[in-house]
Amino acid sequence: MLMVMAASASSLYEVLGISMSASGHEIKAAYRRLARMYHPDVVAMSQKEISATEFIKIHAAYSTLSDPDKRANYDRDRFRRRHPVGFSSAAMASMSRFSGGYSSKRNWETDQCW
């Protein structure tokens, strides 16, 4: 029976079933193992569509993680999504004390009484 594992994976590492510290050899071994299981040419006719979709995901993960530059960019982007750059809620609260109580939607020129 064909397992649909890559569909629920949240990262390329999970698609290949490896850790983030995997070496190039481990990445290639995981890809080859999964390619033998999911390649559309080796599965039953009734599972070709599912396996083709899974194989595309596996190949995309391998393509990114096997290239050192692409992998570094992927890891950097993944880190940024988890830890966005910007002000923390504590910093925003302390800045609001100095805003004079005006909301950000107010405009000095239009709020003046002439």
Side-chain angles (χ1 to χ4, degrees):
M1 174 176 230
L2 186 64
M3 293 180 359
V4 181
M5 60 161 239
S8 63
S10 63
S11 75
L12 298 180
Y13 294 101
E14 290 177 5
V15 169
L16 293 180
I18 57 175
S19 70
M20 287 184 64
S21 61
S23 67
H25 177 72
E26 292 170 318
I27 293 169
K28 186 174 185 175
Y31 170 72
R32 294 185 79 181
R33 178 180 46 82
L34 292 170
R36 282 192 295 270
M37 290 173 41
Y38 288 96
H39 196 282
D41 291 344
V42 297
V43 298
M45 283 298 273
S46 62
Q47 298 175 335
K48 285 206 184 281
E49 189 173 323
I50 294 170
S51 73
T53 303
E54 292 300 310
F55 184 75
I56 289 170
K57 292 175 187 176
I58 292 164
H59 182 72
Y62 174 72
S63 175
T64 299
L65 297 180
S66 64
D67 182 302
D69 293 330
K70 289 180 183 179
R71 183 178 181 180
N73 288 336
Y74 173 75
D75 289 343
R76 192 174 316 113
D77 291 343
R78 190 163 186 245
F79 179 79
R80 284 184 185 151
R81 277 184 262 132
R82 285 185 168 185
H83 308 285
V85 177
F87 294 108
S88 66
S89 57
M92 292 300 285
S94 67
M95 286 176 26
S96 68
R97 288 191 313 225
F98 301 110
S99 67
Y102 286 102
S103 72
S104 61
K105 295 181 181 179
R106 303 205 56 181
N107 185 344
W108 180 84
E109 294 176 0
T110 58
D111 290 341
Q112 298 302 310
C113 297
W114 299 101

